[in-house]
Amino acid sequence: MSHPLNLLLRTFRLFPITALVAACGGGGGSSDAPTPPSTVQIAVTAPAAGSVLTIQSPVTVQAQVSVNGSAAADGTPVSFSMLGGSFSPVAPQTRSGLASTSLTGSTAGAQIITVGSTVNGSTGTGTQTIYLRPQPAALEILVPAYFHPTTNPGWAQMTATASVNPTTSITAILNPSNGIFTTADAATLQAARNLVAAGGKVIGYVYTRYGSGTRSVTDIKTNIDRYLELYGTSVISGIFLDEMSANEAQIPFYREIYDHIKARGATLRVVGNPGLVPAASYAGVTDAIVSFEGTATAFQSFDPRSSTPWLYTLSNNRHAMLMHNADTCAAMQAAIQAAGSARYNQGLVYATNLQYNPTTQVGNPWASLPSYWNTLVSTVQAINSTTALPAC
């Protein structure tokens, strides 16, 4: 018979070591191990990046939320914020990973939408840059009317058009003798009076040589005064400052001119023409800026969003475009539609089929009205009334 102690030793030798370890509570299979952190990712899916929207016009904002690569569980709260606007609701919940809310913008200019969500202690964020512009005004037509009424029918055409389209604003830039004169040209004065009587407007052309000093402030002021004194404030409702600089260094030069015009009449409209987007400070020395002057082809690439987003802080009636080489009626309509869109944000518009080559400086695009003048006016009228464009 074996001794009891020997039996006990044999039992221990046969018992599995893993069972002993388990019995003692060791090993890594404990249910108390910490939950790995979640990865929360957020992508703003609407509006698209770089969208130009209008303040006080609600727009849907959506964000897709994923947790560890899968759609967030329904009911996950998501927060939306933007300095220049408000959301309703502020913290919607996801459905199939998508959270939706409504944004009402309040501050024009570049804005950043920020979206955040926290799941299992982990927070994810997403952003989207958009642009907000003020509520747009109706489009106006700004005509470089650099032709004489006795040799060109353009002034009579503008007058006839204005009389039958009272809701469409037509402003002619009057340019006798390149803006330098000592007496009023009788025929030009009568043509301007006729246009104003028909409901149009007239502003006087003055060139400034880009503030270089080639033309003195004194000479420019004299030109301005002669428009107001010889053509009269009943005809002249503003001044067109051509060859305007775009550089901030010339601001004092233009501020003196602007202040002089406003001292002569607070309601006189000052339209500056650098022909491109100037420094933002030019908004303080003009009432409207010609931020584009060029061909129809070049206008397709006009996009202030990346380089000059300050343009969106101003209403469209403070921006103008003067386009030439819009060869066909269809090209004109496409350009005017683009000009009136949020991205372009232009309020004063003009397009002509007349040709000019900026490289060779050959051609005069302002020598007469375009061949599609009547359709141009009807196109602006249709855009303003949100009706179908006229046939070309």
Side-chain angles (χ1 to χ4, degrees):
M1 177 178 293
S2 298
H3 193 279
L5 179 59
N6 291 333
L7 290 172
L8 179 62
L9 290 173
R10 283 199 299 271
T11 302
F12 272 110
R13 283 197 296 268
L14 295 172
F15 201 88
I17 293 176
T18 53
L20 288 173
V21 173
C24 292
S30 173
S31 60
D32 295 331
T35 302
S38 299
T39 300
V40 181
Q41 294 180 313
I42 300 177
V44 180
T45 58
S51 294
V52 183
L53 310 172
T54 301
I55 63 172
Q56 306 306 327
S57 296
V59 62
T60 298
V61 178
Q62 295 182 320
Q64 187 70 43
V65 183
S66 63
V67 181
N68 298 330
S70 300
D74 287 359
T76 300
V78 183
S79 64
F80 289 78
S81 63
M82 189 181 81
L83 289 178
S86 59
F87 293 90
S88 180
V90 174
Q93 297 181 346
T94 58
R95 184 177 180 85
S96 300
L98 189 67
S100 298
T101 185
S102 178
L103 166 65
T104 301
S106 58
T107 305
Q111 299 288 346
I112 298 177
I113 298 171
T114 300
V115 185
S117 184
T118 299
V119 179
N120 297 331
S122 297
T123 300
T125 59
T127 62
Q128 192 82 292
T129 298
I130 61 170
Y131 303 89
L132 293 174
R133 68 165 181 164
Q135 286 283 341
L139 296 183
E140 307 174 44
I141 301 173
L142 178 66
V143 184
Y146 305 166
F147 35 80
H148 197 273
T150 60
T151 58
N152 188 290
W155 281 89
Q157 287 178 276
M158 288 189 292
T159 298
T161 305
S163 65
V164 296
N165 295 278
T167 61
T168 303
S169 176
I170 299 173
T171 298
I173 306 170
L174 181 69
N175 186 12
S177 304
N178 210 29
I180 301 173
F181 50 87
T182 55
T183 60
D185 179 83
T188 301
L189 175 58
Q190 188 58 55
R193 284 174 173 168
N194 293 343
L195 177 58
V196 172
K201 300 182 182 69
V202 176
I203 61 178
Y205 175 96
V206 178
Y207 70 95
T208 67
R209 286 289 187 263
Y210 307 99
S212 63
T214 305
R215 294 213 73 206
S216 69
V217 171
T218 299
D219 287 343
I220 293 169
K221 288 180 179 178
T222 297
N223 296 157
I224 293 165
D225 291 344
R226 284 179 176 160
Y227 273 111
L228 300 174
E229 292 161 3
L230 298 176
Y231 285 87
T233 54
S234 62
V235 170
I236 302 298
S237 58
I239 300 295
F240 184 83
L241 299 175
D242 198 20
E243 297 182 351
M244 176 176 267
S245 174
N247 298 322
E248 195 162 11
Q250 273 66 50
I251 284 294
F253 179 90
Y254 288 101
R255 186 174 303 283
E256 184 173 351
I257 296 169
Y258 181 79
D259 289 346
H260 176 76
I261 296 170
K262 292 300 183 178
R264 292 301 308 265
T267 61
L268 291 171
R269 192 179 199 180
V270 181
V271 181
N273 181 26
L276 48 80
V277 181
S281 50
Y282 277 85
V285 294
T286 59
D287 298 318
I289 301 169
V290 179
S291 51
F292 177 87
E293 180 178 352
T295 67
T297 300
F299 190 60
Q300 294 173 10
S301 301
F302 182 77
D303 191 347
R305 290 175 295 181
S306 58
S307 58
T308 52
W310 68 268
L311 284 183
Y312 296 115
T313 66
L314 304 179
S315 175
N316 69 329
N317 61 9
R318 298 199 57 188
H319 299 299
M321 56 81 85
L322 300 175
M323 176 190 295
H324 48 80
N325 296 53
D327 298 339
T328 65
C329 174
M332 172 273 294
Q333 288 189 327
I336 299 301
Q337 279 189 304
S341 70
R343 169 186 148 180
Y344 287 81
N345 198 38
Q346 302 284 335
L348 285 73
V349 299
Y350 185 72
T352 180
N353 59 301
L354 273 65
Q355 303 291 301
Y356 174 69
N357 187 319
T359 302
T360 62
Q361 298 187 353
V362 172
N364 181 4
W366 321 132
S368 67
L369 293 180
S371 60
Y372 43 63
W373 164 252
N374 288 332
T375 309
L376 168 62
V377 176
S378 299
T379 296
V380 169
Q381 190 174 50
I383 292 173
N384 287 339
S385 60
T386 63
T387 56
L389 298 184
C392 282

